[in-house]
Amino acid sequence: MTGVQTCALPISPSTNSKNLILSVNSSGNLAIIKTPSGGAQLLASAIDRNGLDGALKSAIGTIAGDDTVLVVAKSASGGAALAAAVEKYAMKGRK
């Protein structure tokens, strides 16, 4: 069998991080972000590199699965504020 294997991302290159945020919840020092399938690693990378354009200064790191990003806040009770900042960022420009 011969042929070329290809891999296609379910997200177009023009997709920005705001379009990857479907929902946000929090618990303790964690914010949990749901994304479309395959979008979590792209969003987590954006958070780790630039904190969503400075919107997430209280985030110290992320863990990404397929459709879920776990964001860790610096303070022990900072998850709710972190989730609120993610929601505010996601809603900016969605009108």
Side-chain angles (χ1 to χ4, degrees):
M1 215 173 169
T2 62
V4 177
Q5 281 189 314
T6 60
C7 178
L9 293 174
I11 301 161
S12 73
S14 63
T15 301
N16 67 33
S17 54
K18 292 176 185 175
N19 295 331
L20 294 174
I21 300 169
L22 299 179
S23 67
V24 184
N25 288 296
S26 66
S27 177
N29 70 328
L30 306 174
I32 298 88
I33 306 169
K34 296 300 273 182
T35 72
S37 184
Q41 292 180 11
L42 183 60
L43 181 61
S45 178
I47 293 170
D48 287 339
R49 276 191 262 143
N50 63 17
L52 297 181
D53 299 326
L56 301 182
K57 294 177 183 167
S58 63
I60 59 172
T62 63
I63 299 173
D66 177 57
D67 64 354
T68 305
V69 179
L70 179 70
V71 186
V72 182
K74 290 178 185 175
S75 71
S77 60
L82 194 55
V86 170
E87 287 177 330
K88 181 178 178 182
Y89 174 82
M91 295 311 294
K92 225 193 265 189
R94 284 190 188 176
K95 301 215 177 199

